[in-house]
Amino acid sequence: ENYKLTKKEKNELKEKLNEIDKVESIKVDTNYKIIKIFLELKENVDFKIVKKISNEAIEKISSDNLSFYDIEIFVDCIECVDEENNIYLFTAYFNAY
């Protein structure tokens, strides 16, 4: 109850993540002590770019919320393949404190 992700935080988070090329959709959910961010991409994007912008997006969350919540980012891309033509997904997990 004391820790709510505000609309402003959600909007700033989504706005920052939209800086990643090829974003199809972004969904942000809070569940007990976890902020889950689902990021769907249209096609391949360099993981370094996704990681950099995701880290910058997390900075949009208040320090109080960061100290309370763990953050999981799930990146899905139906059309994404690696060098061996394998479809791939990746997940990032952040615990600020």
Side-chain angles (χ1 to χ4, degrees):
E1 277 183 33
N2 296 333
Y3 300 94
K4 298 262 186 198
L5 195 61
T6 66
K7 269 189 178 177
K8 180 182 179 195
E9 287 174 307
K10 283 184 181 182
N11 289 339
E12 288 180 356
L13 184 67
K14 288 179 179 181
E15 186 177 303
K16 186 65 184 178
L17 289 170
N18 267 316
E19 292 179 13
I20 300 170
D21 286 341
K22 318 290 192 272
V23 170
E24 179 73 22
S25 67
I26 300 168
K27 182 178 175 188
V28 179
D29 288 331
T30 54
N31 182 357
Y32 182 58
K33 284 192 60 159
I34 301 173
I35 297 171
K36 293 185 178 188
I37 302 166
F38 300 90
L39 180 62
E40 187 175 337
L41 305 175
K42 296 177 197 172
E43 52 189 75
N44 283 1
V45 176
D46 186 342
F47 176 73
K48 291 176 189 172
I49 294 169
V50 174
K51 182 179 175 182
K52 177 185 178 296
I53 294 175
S54 294
N55 283 328
E56 292 170 359
I58 289 169
E59 293 173 4
K60 304 297 182 185
I61 300 171
S62 72
S63 58
D64 285 344
N65 281 340
L66 284 176
S67 67
F68 179 77
Y69 288 103
D70 289 337
I71 300 169
E72 296 176 342
I73 300 177
F74 301 90
V75 180
D76 184 12
C77 181
I78 297 169
E79 301 294 322
C80 296
V81 293
D82 62 15
E83 295 81 29
E84 286 90 39
N85 239 12
N86 297 313
I87 295 175
Y88 69 92
L89 308 170
F90 49 92
T91 303
Y93 179 81
F94 299 89
N95 184 327
Y97 296 92

